[in-house]
Amino acid sequence: MHRSSRATLDATTLRTRLFIGGQWVDGDDGAEIEVLDPHDGTTITRIAEARATDVDRAVDAAERAFPAWAGTPAAERGRILLRVADLIESNAAELARLESTDTGHPLRDSTRLDVPRTAATFRYFGGMADKHEGSVIPSERGFLNYLAHEPIGVVGQIVPWNFPLMFTSWKLGPALAAGNTVVMKPSELTPLSTLRVAELLQEAGLPDGVVNIVPGYGTTAGWAIVTHPRIRKVSFTGSTAVGRRVVEGSAGNLKRLQLELGGKGANIVFEDADLEQAVNGSAFAIFHNQGQACIAGTRLLLHERIADRFLDDFLSVATNIRLGDPLDMATEMGPLTSSIHRDRVLAYVEVARGEGAEILCGGDGASDPDLAAGYYIRPTVVRARPGDRVSREEVFGPFVVVTTFTDEDEALEIANSTEYGLGNGLWTRDLSRAHRVASRLQSGMVWVNAYKRVSPASPFGGVRGSGYGREMGFEVMHEYTQPKSVWVNVGADLPVWFARPEREKAADG
Ligand code: NAD
């Protein structure tokens, strides 16, 4: 265990080794990953790095644990998840600090959103465990035909760095409720809260080997999960480019896939919208979590009649957002999570300029010298055309593209013109238009007079380049189970299809 460079983390609860078979272990190669604090670029700690042989060990442990876990009464599996939810809450302050230090999320956000949502999601799936019922199918007279939902086996879960704590509950909650065992790879950039949750799972009574955590790089540990012949399903959250590679790499044993990929959400403001609400909601849509959200409202489509009024107000909100140390409760926007990613987002500012877009605000780092060593970017608003690269490609930062439209058809054409289809939103007081536009938006989620609402009860996921499969709700339970149809003859007359030879009939008699 290593001490934190900032005196803010409790070194006694900081976990830095791989979690395999209920033990904290080093990687076979003894390799380590340096975990950096995005506020100032200093080292928080060094963690063990998992490689392919460590993934093998984790799969062995998960395979050994599977029969007993799958056979554990569903209510008991649920009880453990409910205890995890309680433990997340009783360790809320520490988890929020850990997440904010590792990711750069403002403490205000981790405290009010990340931690409570993580607890709520574990609790929801704790309740779900014994409620995901099978069914009886009225298929044929004389038969009891029932459908059972059986766990799949060892599942691999690969997650990105933008909401690592929350993703432990999104991924582990349903997988465990359904009776699977898990090998999870957090992002190499943000492994700390995931490792701490592993410890809380153990404290809650989860048997050894049911969950194994193998932090490592995508091309080594991640790829070992994707291609592993004994992993039966992979749930992947990350970029569309890597998602495509996951599809190819998984072909060997035909494992099932669930892909939660990138987004380029359109946020459409019609001329009859409540502009005050729309401005507030649109600022949350893009600037919360520094815009590092797959469902961020990254394209602001404004009706030409209200565009100037909306923008006046929106720019004043954007330019007044308080950037600062994520651990300061007054901070509204923290740093981006890594320097590489900060550079990628800033490169898009140059792309925008090159395409003749107008930078309405931001486009650079924080002006405060205290933040100079961190990965900060000021809220950035850019006026661009729908065909421009910055209007089509995922930037994944506090970077919003503004464009105007003249009528509903044009708004829909622009909204549906990217390769993505995750979440879109619209603001209007016209009820018919709200439903009409919602039905014509090509995405897995639509918000009306709101943006970026998420609940453990509501299916979450995308269409087209945003992937397939769903997290959350009853839907996700189908992702983590396989249906088995069982036919029991309870009095059907079976047809005699092939005549039996006389000799046998005589012997029977
Ligand atoms: P990424 O695709 O680079 O990495 C995601 C995860 O995959 C990481 O753990 C990484 O180590 C791993 N990985 C990378 N290459 C791999 C490979 N070849 N084989 C196996 N694993 C590999 O994405 P990122 O930069 O970490 O995260 C940002 C992306 O995630 C954005 O595109 C964002 O939209 C997306 N995202 C989607 C959702 C959703 O639910 N749809 C949610 C959050 C983030």
Side-chain angles (χ1 to χ4, degrees):
M1 204 175 299
H2 296 255
R3 286 200 76 81
S4 153
S5 65
R6 280 170 105 186
T8 50
L9 294 183
D10 177 358
T12 59
T13 58
L14 201 57
R15 292 289 157 213
T16 62
R17 303 295 95 186
L18 315 180
F19 185 66
I20 297 178
Q23 308 290 317
W24 297 98
V25 296
D26 284 324
D28 278 343
D29 291 353
E32 292 198 328
I33 298 175
E34 199 175 9
V35 183
L36 302 180
D37 181 338
H39 167 62
D40 55 13
T42 56
T43 303
I44 300 172
T45 187
R46 299 177 68 83
I47 59 153
E49 179 200 332
R51 297 195 176 157
T53 57
D54 304 307
V55 169
D56 278 341
R57 281 197 288 158
V59 173
D60 288 346
E63 222 173 32
R64 273 197 304 275
F66 177 68
W69 182 244
T72 301
E76 175 54 22
R77 293 200 300 262
R79 262 223 315 257
I80 293 175
L81 292 175
L82 294 173
R83 265 185 243 135
V84 175
D86 291 345
L87 284 170
I88 299 280
E89 280 167 350
S90 54
N91 292 279
E94 175 223 325
L95 281 168
R97 252 186 137 61
L98 185 61
E99 188 75 337
S100 287
T101 309
D102 200 6
T103 62
H105 296 190
L107 191 57
R108 178 187 79 145
D109 297 6
S110 337
T111 305
R112 283 172 31 188
L113 290 178
D114 303 48
V115 173
R117 281 183 178 176
T118 303
T121 307
F122 274 121
R123 188 162 289 130
Y124 177 84
F125 287 107
M128 173 69 86
D130 59 356
K131 291 166 197 69
H132 184 227
E133 297 173 344
S135 54
V136 174
I137 304 160
S139 47
E140 266 188 58
R141 203 165 151 194
F143 281 95
L144 169 64
N145 178 203
Y146 61 87
L147 190 70
H149 301 294
E150 299 189 336
I152 297 171
V154 178
V155 304
Q157 302 183 322
I158 301 178
V159 292
W161 44 263
N162 60 332
F163 290 104
L165 176 64
M166 259 174 28
F167 288 149
T168 61
S169 61
W170 288 33
K171 299 269 184 218
L172 295 176
L176 299 179
N180 300 285
T181 56
V182 177
V183 175
M184 174 184 264
K185 191 196 85 62
S187 166
E188 60 277 17
L189 296 168
T190 55
L192 299 181
S193 57
T194 310
L195 292 169
R196 178 70 176 121
V197 168
E199 191 171 38
L200 296 179
L201 287 165
Q202 198 168 40
E203 193 178 330
L206 193 76
D208 291 350
V210 172
V211 167
N212 305 276
I213 310 289
V214 286
Y217 294 101
T219 48
T220 50
W223 192 246
I225 290 175
V226 168
T227 54
H228 205 288
R230 285 179 287 133
I231 289 182
R232 302 285 163 206
K233 173 213 161 85
V234 163
S235 173
F236 172 82
T237 299
S239 59
T240 299
V242 175
R244 287 203 176 88
R245 253 172 270 152
V246 169
V247 173
E248 290 164 12
S250 68
N253 70 340
L254 294 177
K255 56 175 67 66
R256 281 174 64 181
L257 291 182
Q258 180 187 354
L259 299 175
E260 305 291 345
L261 308 178
K264 189 72 182 174
N267 181 15
I268 311 171
V269 185
F270 286 102
E271 68 280 14
D272 64 339
D274 175 331
L275 286 194
E276 197 179 323
Q277 262 204 24
V279 166
N280 288 336
S282 304
F284 174 75
I286 185 63
F287 298 127
H288 164 245
N289 203 34
Q290 297 73 256
Q292 301 167 128
C294 50
I295 52 171
T298 54
R299 292 179 295 151
L300 203 40
L301 274 50
L302 304 177
H303 189 275
E304 59 182 5
R305 280 224 301 276
I306 50 89
D308 288 345
R309 254 188 308 145
F310 180 98
L311 267 183
D312 272 356
D313 212 4
F314 185 75
L315 287 172
S316 122
V317 172
T319 48
N320 281 297
I321 288 176
R322 242 173 311 174
L323 255 66
D325 183 342
L327 297 185
D328 178 346
M329 253 332 220
T331 290
E332 294 176 326
M333 239 179 71
L336 273 65
T337 298
S338 72
S339 64
I340 290 180
H341 187 59
R342 184 260 326 265
D343 295 347
R344 205 183 291 149
V345 174
L346 286 176
Y348 269 108
V349 176
E350 292 318 309
V351 169
R353 284 205 178 95
E355 288 180 314
E358 189 186 350
I359 314 293
L360 301 176
C361 74
D364 51 11
S367 47
D368 180 347
D370 286 348
L371 306 180
Y375 315 143
Y376 291 86
I377 295 187
R378 290 198 299 141
T380 300
V381 183
V382 172
R383 198 196 297 271
R385 290 161 305 193
D388 290 347
R389 268 184 68 193
V390 288
S391 301
R392 290 182 286 111
E393 297 176 16
E394 187 180 43
V395 178
F396 217 60
F399 182 112
V400 64
V401 175
V402 179
T403 189
T404 55
F405 63 89
T406 53
D407 60 24
E408 197 175 297
D409 281 341
E410 191 190 3
L412 279 160
E413 194 186 315
I414 299 171
N416 291 333
S417 66
T418 74
E419 68 162 312
Y420 298 106
L422 192 56
N424 292 304
L426 65 135
W427 303 81
T428 181
R429 288 189 172 98
D430 179 338
L431 190 60
S432 315
R433 169 148 68 191
H435 290 291
R436 192 169 57 237
V437 173
S439 80
R440 292 179 63 196
L441 282 168
Q442 295 170 10
S443 56
M445 293 163 284
V446 175
W447 300 280
V448 177
N449 294 329
Y451 210 96
K452 245 171 67 145
R453 305 301 302 187
V454 175
S455 154
S458 185
F460 181 107
V463 299
R464 308 198 294 180
S466 294
Y468 45 76
R470 292 291 178 271
E471 313 257 28
M472 313 290 212
F474 278 80
E475 287 290 329
V476 73
M477 298 306 287
H478 296 296
E479 304 283 345
Y480 284 106
T481 52
Q482 44 203 6
K484 179 180 277 175
S485 173
V486 179
W487 294 72
V488 183
N489 185 343
V490 289
D493 284 332
L494 297 181
V496 177
W497 209 255
F498 301 106
R500 295 169 67 193
E502 291 301 317
R503 190 166 36 84
E504 281 187 23
K505 273 195 205 160
D508 283 354

